[in-house]
Every structure is written in structure tokens, then in C-alpha cells.
Amino acid sequence: MEKTKERFSLKGAKAKYDVFMSDTQFVNDRKRWASNIKAFILGLFKAIIIIGTCYVVLGPVIGIVARSFFSDADNYNTMVYMIPQEPTLERYDVAIKFLDYLPTAGKSILYSVSLMLIQVMICSMVGYGFARYKFPLKGLLFACVVVMIVIPTHTIMLPLYMTFANFDVFGIIKLIKGSTVNLLSTPVPVYIMTLFGCGLRSGLYIYIFNQFFRGLPKEIEEAAFVDGAGTWYTYFRIMLINAMPSVITVAIFSMVWQYNDTFMAKLFLVSDDLVISKKIGGIADSISTSMKEYDPKILELYTNAGIVLMMLPIIIIYIALQKHFIEGVERSGIVG
Amino acid sequence: MKKKMSLTTKRSITGLLFILPWLIGFLWFYARSLFMSVQYSLSYMEVKPGGGYTLDFVGFENYLYAFSGHGQFKQILTTSVMDMLIDVPLITFFSLFMAMLLNKKFRGRTLARAIFFLPVLLNSEAIVDTMDATRALLAGGISSSSTEVLEAASSSGVSIDYYIQMFDSLGLPMGVLEYVTGAISRISEIINASGVQIIIFIAALQSISPAMYEVAKIEGATAYETFWKVTFPMVMPHIITNVVYTVVDSFTNSEVVDLAYRVIFKEYNYGLGSAMSLISTIITCLILVLVCRFIQKRTFYYN
């Protein structure tokens, strides 16, 4: 008797459980809960990864900015990690004086902007030529563009140095002046190379423009041609306007990289006053000799202030154009 | 009387006019310089005080000396190449992973993308050096070399050796362990080197038609399957672009280049320096060709 009762009650529990489990309302609730928790955990993981990566990128930048306000006492105080106890602007004062900041930054920006304009003009033309016209040996010539991207300028630095140390165009200059010209320690070599499509990373820019122009519909040009527009008019007034995303991308890349570049500047001995990124490398030494400050830790604080000053224009440009820039990179032909 | 040209000739002349500036520049600066580089590397070169120089042909002596006589070259070359080979797959997969994260909509996405792209714009030599110094000072898990990570870990009371031993006793091969610990200790380097690659992958992901994902979902594919059967094959062609970019980038910043620069402009050994840069360039090109072949065979082209 007792046994059956127990079995009965067990059966009842099972039945109750079945009803309980098949209650659609409850099942839906449970599923929603489970998926909510899953989404929450996944989101948490994503957030941790993204925030962590952002910290790795931003950490040193924040550190540099913070340390540029350190006074001597803060530097020697091991308890100070990020926020200075006695902040000082002296580092900026000295760095501005030694960098000759405003004129140098102005000249650097002018230098990079002028090179950027040439870069955009020449590279877009070449990219357009490769994208839209058929001519003999086109495949081979485009392979040369790829070679230019792949082989870094470092491989040919010595011949370039020699070329510009004894600069001559088919012996014409020697004929007129009696000797070859030494163009080193002027910015002329950089301008000449950029003008002939061999500047800093020109190959990459040509590639980007080529990809973008290939993606534009041919009908645009055909319409222009039928309406009687000449080749150059079509190119400048129609194609270049249509290629705005890639123009913006190349413009920013070219300007910022030129501003940052020390390789070309060092190779051709371009004056420090034109290239702030080169001048900043020597700032610690010149402060050390003229201010009799020999502690490398303190000198580093001055360098930090200088670096902040140097980064400032880039950051401003980036924040101003950020939206256009990332969209431009995505839409322009950087993707093969 | 002028003979009228056909439209095709006319167009090809216009095309040549468009690329003319670059063509002159390429022949003048690149082709000629490459030839001169080879010439320098095969000779003993002396620069005369008034400008100009003399070349004495010595055959392959500079190449032989670079490998057998020079103290550092072999070692620096191998470490540079090994670093490159380790970094390339790491950067490629990390940037693909990050691109997939950043491609989804979430709050602060624009900000995150802007931050990820920052290292590309702050790539100046001086900035990078100062950042490395600051990283070492801050320690907190973002230092750039493995010894610093170990130091930071020991100062914070975590014994990395203990974990390494633990995994070792699980029977994982030592090579894999070393690769993983190496990868983790390089994390900041990898993040800083993958800005452009992330953007390229984001663009690639956005070009995949949503219809494909819809089909996969209707057919009942899991997220895992969707990734391997839809996303991965579709971004495959862009992996080559990224690999090429990464290899060239890491070569340009490698120590071999610095060494060649030092040998040429500080030690004035022109022939040897040219030989060194040519050797490293040839090795990089070989790696590029091999890797591209390897990937291309496995690549699926949608159209």
C-alpha cells in the first residue's frame, strides 16, 4: 500500500514537472533569460577586450602627457605614478624655447602640406592613367609600382644620396655651371622626388588611386566625352571630384607621414628648422649642454613636453577630420 | 600634312602622358639606384673629398664578409626575419579579430576606431622611442619587451614561471608555449602595428553582402560555422594585402635596416652597407613571394 502510494506520488511529481516544463510562457521566459545572460557575458568580454586594447594604445600617450607636467620633486618621488603633486609648466617653457616651437611647427606644417599637394596631384594622375588607359607594357609598368611599394627606400639610400650630392640632369647643369650641384642639406631633393612620383610611400598612394578609379563607372567619362569635355577637363573637374574619399585618405596619410618622417630628412640632411620630428631628436642633448642638466630622467621630461607639442597638430587634424578619414579609408581603394 | 592618328593610339599616348612623371621618376631614381646599389655592393668604394667617388671591382667579397666576417650581421638578420615570421600571422589574426569586433554596432564605436588608428598616425621615430620609454616606466602590462613583462609580473606578485611550468606539466610542447608567451609579451607591439590592417579588414567585412549571412542563418548555421564558411573565405583575398603590408612595414622598421644605415653613414663602409641592404631586401622579397603563393593557393575568389 505504501509502495503504490509512493509510486503514485512520484508519478504525480513527474506529471507536474512535465506540465511545468511545457508551460510555453515559462519556457520562453527561461530562454530569454539564458540568452540575456549569454549576451551580457559576451558583451562584457567584448568590452574588456576593446577597452584593454584602447588602454594599451592610449596608455603611453597619457603617460607622456602626464609626465610632461612633472616637476623635479615629482620625478624623484616614487609615490607619484601619474598625477603630479607639484605640477609645473616649466618643461613646456623650455621645450618651446629650444624647439623654437611656433616657427618650426609652422614651417614643418607648410613643408608637409606643400609636399602633400604635389603627392595628391601626381599620384592621382598616375593612378588614373593606369586605371583607365591602355598602353603598351602596362602590366610590366604596374608591376614596377608594386616593386616600389615592396622595396623600401632604405635599399637605395646610398645611390640616392650620391645622386643628389652630385646632382645633374643629363650633364646639362655641368655644361652651364661647370660643375654638378650639391642639393643636400636643402629640401629640394624631397620635392624633386615627390614631383616625379617617388616620394615617401608614393607607390602606395598610386596603388590606392588606381584601385579607386577602377571602381568608378566608365559611363561618367563617356558622358563627359560625348558632351565635348577634353581629357584634362574630364580628369580635373569630374574624376578628381568623384574620387574625393581617396583624395582625403591620401591627403591625410601623406601629410601626417611626411610630418613624422625622419628618414628622408636625415638622408638628405634637410635642415632641422623645417622638420620638427628631426629637431626633437636632438632636443635632449641641446638642453643638457646649455642648461647643465645631466640627469637623463629629467631630460626625458623635457622630451615628453616636446613630444606633446609635436603631436598636437596631428591630433588636432585627426580629431577634426576623423570621421571623413575613417570613412575615406574604408571606401577608398586601399582594399584591393 | 599631319597624319591622323587612330583613337587607340591617341588614347594610349594620353595614358602615357598621365603616367609620365612617375615613369621618369621610377627610371631616374628607382631603377638607376637599384642598379647602382648592386654595383656598389660588388666593389670597394671610396668617396673623394670634392664629391664624386671611385669604384674598385671586388666581386662578391662584400657579401662574403657580411656573412663570415661581420660580427653582428648574421645574428641581426636572423632575429629580424624570425620576428617578422612570428609577427605576421599574429598581426593578421589579431586585426581580423578586432575588425570583427569593431564592425558590430555598439556605443562608442567611432571612438574605439579612432583610438585603434592612432598608432598609424603617431609613427614618428621620436614619438615611438619616447612611447617605449614611457611604457617601460608605466609597466602596468603594456611594456614592450618580454623581460619587462616578467619584471612587472614579479613585482606585482604574480609568478609567470609558475604558470609556464603548470602548462609545461600539462604536456604542451615547449615551442608552442614559447610562441604563446612571446605573443603575449609583444601584445603592445602587435596592437600598435595593426592599425591599417584593422581598417582594411573592416572595409572587407562591410563589403560582404548581408544576404549571405541571412542564408546561413536560415540554413541553421552556428556563429562558428558562419565565420569559417562565410566570413573567412570572403575576407581571404584581403589577407594577402595585409600580409604584404605587414611584411614591408616590419622590414622597414627592422634592425637590419638600421644596421645598414649605420654601416654606410657612420662607418663609411659603402660597399658592405649596400650588400647588407640588398641581402635583406632579397630575403624579404623571397618571403613575400613564398607567403603570397602559399595563401593564394588557398584563397577563394568570389568573382
Side-chain angles (χ1 to χ4, degrees):
Chain A
M1 191 68 193
E2 231 180 71
K3 239 182 182 176
T4 45
K5 200 179 177 187
E6 200 187 304
R7 199 183 281 158
F8 180 74
S9 69
L10 237 171
K11 237 182 199 168
K14 176 94 171 52
K16 260 186 191 166
Y17 179 74
D18 283 346
V19 169
F20 182 67
M21 288 307 284
S22 61
D23 181 350
T24 39
Q25 174 66 37
F26 188 73
V27 167
N28 280 345
D29 270 3
R30 216 158 25 105
K31 271 191 182 157
R32 203 183 307 136
W33 263 97
S35 71
N36 272 355
I37 289 173
K38 218 166 131 190
F40 176 75
I41 292 174
L42 265 177
L44 199 69
F45 265 115
K46 268 186 209 162
I48 289 172
I49 291 173
I50 288 174
I51 291 172
T53 320
C54 287
Y55 169 68
V56 173
V57 174
L58 280 184
V61 179
I62 296 169
I64 289 175
V65 174
R67 291 182 66 78
S68 67
F69 291 106
F70 272 27
S71 59
D72 288 10
D74 287 321
N75 189 44
Y76 295 126
N77 185 354
T78 45
M79 296 302 287
V80 174
Y81 179 64
M82 271 283 196
I83 302 161
Q85 250 171 3
E86 301 157 33
T88 165
L89 285 174
E90 193 240 341
R91 315 290 168 206
Y92 284 98
D93 230 25
V94 174
I96 286 175
K97 206 178 88 198
F98 276 86
L99 277 178
D100 201 5
Y101 181 58
L102 283 179
T104 314
K107 275 185 208 158
S108 292
I109 291 171
L110 206 67
Y111 169 76
S112 2
V113 167
S114 57
L115 282 169
M116 174 267 275
L117 290 176
I118 301 175
Q119 197 79 277
V120 169
M121 271 305 304
I122 299 292
C123 293
S124 63
M125 260 172 63
V126 176
Y128 181 66
F130 273 119
R132 277 297 196 265
Y133 291 95
K134 281 202 187 100
F135 41 83
L137 295 180
K138 185 176 155 183
L140 184 75
L141 288 175
F142 196 69
C144 287
V145 175
V146 177
V147 165
M148 238 169 89
I149 300 174
V150 172
I151 293 185
T153 333
H154 304 76
T155 315
I156 53 166
M157 57 191 169
L158 182 58
L160 283 180
Y161 181 86
M162 288 299 169
T163 308
F164 286 105
N166 314 296
F167 188 72
D168 210 341
V169 189
F170 303 120
I172 297 169
I173 294 177
K174 197 168 186 176
L175 214 68
I176 298 169
K177 283 183 75 180
S179 68
T180 53
V181 204
N182 184 355
L183 287 180
L184 295 178
S185 62
T186 63
V188 180
V190 185
Y191 280 105
I192 291 180
M193 284 194 65
T194 312
L195 198 61
F196 286 103
C198 289
L200 193 71
R201 305 205 193 195
S202 288
L204 183 68
Y205 306 143
I206 293 174
Y207 187 82
I208 292 176
F209 275 121
N210 174 55
Q211 294 290 349
F212 193 83
F213 281 124
R214 275 200 347 207
L216 287 181
K218 274 206 168 105
E219 284 75 17
I220 303 178
E221 282 153 296
E222 272 160 19
F225 184 69
V226 170
D227 284 346
T231 319
W232 300 97
Y233 186 89
T234 316
Y235 169 66
F236 280 113
R237 303 301 293 273
I238 296 166
M239 294 314 278
L240 211 52
I241 306 297
N242 273 309
M244 243 355 173
S246 52
V247 169
I248 290 176
T249 312
V250 169
I252 296 186
F253 266 139
S254 142
M255 189 165 66
V256 172
W257 280 342
Q258 195 73 54
Y259 183 85
N260 281 339
D261 170 64
T262 45
F263 177 76
M264 286 270 227
K266 262 193 212 159
L267 182 62
F268 298 129
L269 311 172
V270 181
S271 150
D272 277 4
D273 296 330
L274 271 180
V275 189
I276 194 169
S277 53
K278 195 182 155 208
K279 195 168 190 172
I280 212 152
I283 184 181
D285 286 339
S286 50
I287 288 176
S288 158
T289 43
S290 63
M291 284 179 56
K292 310 250 178 304
E293 176 63 73
Y294 300 114
D295 186 351
K297 286 266 159 80
I298 299 283
L299 287 174
E300 215 177 275
L301 299 181
Y302 291 112
T303 318
N304 282 349
I307 292 284
V308 173
L309 290 173
M310 183 198 151
M311 286 192 300
L312 215 55
I314 304 179
I315 304 273
I316 291 172
I317 290 171
Y318 187 46
I319 290 175
L321 294 175
Q322 194 263 118
K323 202 164 176 238
H324 298 282
F325 182 51
I326 296 208
E327 270 172 20
V329 176
E330 277 170 10
R331 278 198 290 156
S332 68
I334 232 185
V335 176
Chain B
M1 222 185 109
K2 219 166 102 185
K3 201 181 149 204
K4 241 191 167 171
M5 284 181 290
S6 75
L7 191 63
T8 341
T9 356
K10 234 184 194 169
R11 273 185 71 83
S12 71
I13 286 176
T14 328
L16 279 173
L17 272 180
F18 266 112
I19 67 156
L20 191 65
W22 168 80
L23 190 59
I24 294 172
F26 181 80
L27 293 176
W28 191 6
F29 298 119
Y30 266 77
R32 181 162 164 266
S33 296
L34 267 180
F35 174 73
M36 277 161 85
S37 230
V38 174
Q39 203 182 5
Y40 291 167
S41 72
L42 290 175
S43 30
Y44 177 75
M45 183 177 166
E46 209 166 347
V47 175
K48 283 186 281 188
Y53 51 86
T54 54
L55 289 174
D56 291 320
F57 185 75
V58 292
F60 284 97
E61 209 169 273
N62 284 319
Y63 290 88
L64 287 178
Y65 182 76
F67 278 115
S68 58
H70 196 271
Q72 294 170 305
F73 179 70
K74 249 194 304 188
Q75 185 208 343
I76 289 183
L77 183 69
T78 30
T79 44
S80 295
V81 171
M82 285 311 291
D83 278 357
M84 192 191 290
L85 289 181
I86 292 173
D87 277 353
V88 166
L90 281 178
I91 290 176
T92 313
F93 278 97
F94 174 77
S95 45
L96 179 57
F97 177 69
M98 283 330 275
M100 287 180 63
L101 272 189
L102 290 176
N103 196 33
K104 304 246 165 62
K105 278 217 160 62
F106 58 88
R107 235 177 295 147
R109 181 171 76 146
T110 347
L111 185 70
R113 281 194 199 183
I115 291 173
F116 275 69
F117 209 64
L118 207 56
V120 179
L121 301 180
L122 299 179
N123 69 346
S124 181
E125 205 185 317
I127 299 181
V128 171
D129 287 349
T130 318
M131 279 198 180
D132 281 344
T134 317
R135 254 188 222 119
L137 279 173
L138 293 177
I142 50 171
S143 30
S144 53
S145 81
S146 45
T147 47
E148 279 161 17
V149 168
L150 286 178
E151 271 169 27
S154 61
S155 68
S156 63
V158 182
S159 163
I160 282 195
D161 286 332
Y162 173 75
Y163 288 102
I164 292 179
Q165 259 167 14
M166 193 175 88
F167 282 109
D168 193 32
S169 59
L170 279 178
L172 280 176
M174 208 53 203
V176 175
L177 261 183
E178 263 167 28
Y179 187 79
V180 171
T181 46
I184 291 169
S185 64
R186 276 158 186 282
I187 193 89
S188 76
E189 235 172 86
I190 288 166
I191 290 173
N192 282 323
S194 45
V196 172
Q197 289 88 330
I198 290 176
I199 297 284
I200 292 177
F201 273 135
I202 289 180
L205 287 174
Q206 285 182 347
S207 67
I208 302 174
S209 117
M212 290 205 171
Y213 287 110
E214 234 166 78
V215 168
K217 207 174 174 186
I218 290 168
E219 300 286 344
T222 59
Y224 181 79
E225 282 167 335
T226 316
F227 173 77
W228 286 107
K229 300 266 160 68
V230 180
T231 312
F232 195 69
M234 291 302 281
V235 297
M236 202 64 189
H238 304 289
I239 288 181
I240 292 189
T241 323
N242 271 338
V243 166
V244 171
Y245 188 89
T246 315
V247 169
V248 172
D249 207 43
S250 81
F251 174 62
T252 321
N253 298 323
S254 71
E255 279 177 50
V256 189
V257 169
D258 288 345
L259 180 71
Y261 185 87
R262 265 204 317 276
V263 169
I264 291 178
F265 290 102
K266 298 270 153 67
E267 297 167 20
Y268 304 108
N269 199 338
Y270 302 104
L272 183 62
S274 302
M276 283 176 177
S277 44
L278 274 177
I279 291 170
S280 48
T281 308
I282 289 168
I283 289 178
T284 318
C285 290
L286 270 180
I287 292 176
L288 269 183
V289 169
L290 287 179
V291 171
C292 286
R293 279 263 173 84
F294 179 79
I295 301 174
Q296 211 145 32
K297 264 189 195 157
R298 284 155 185 77
T299 302
F300 161 77
Y301 286 99
Y302 181 59
N303 31 7

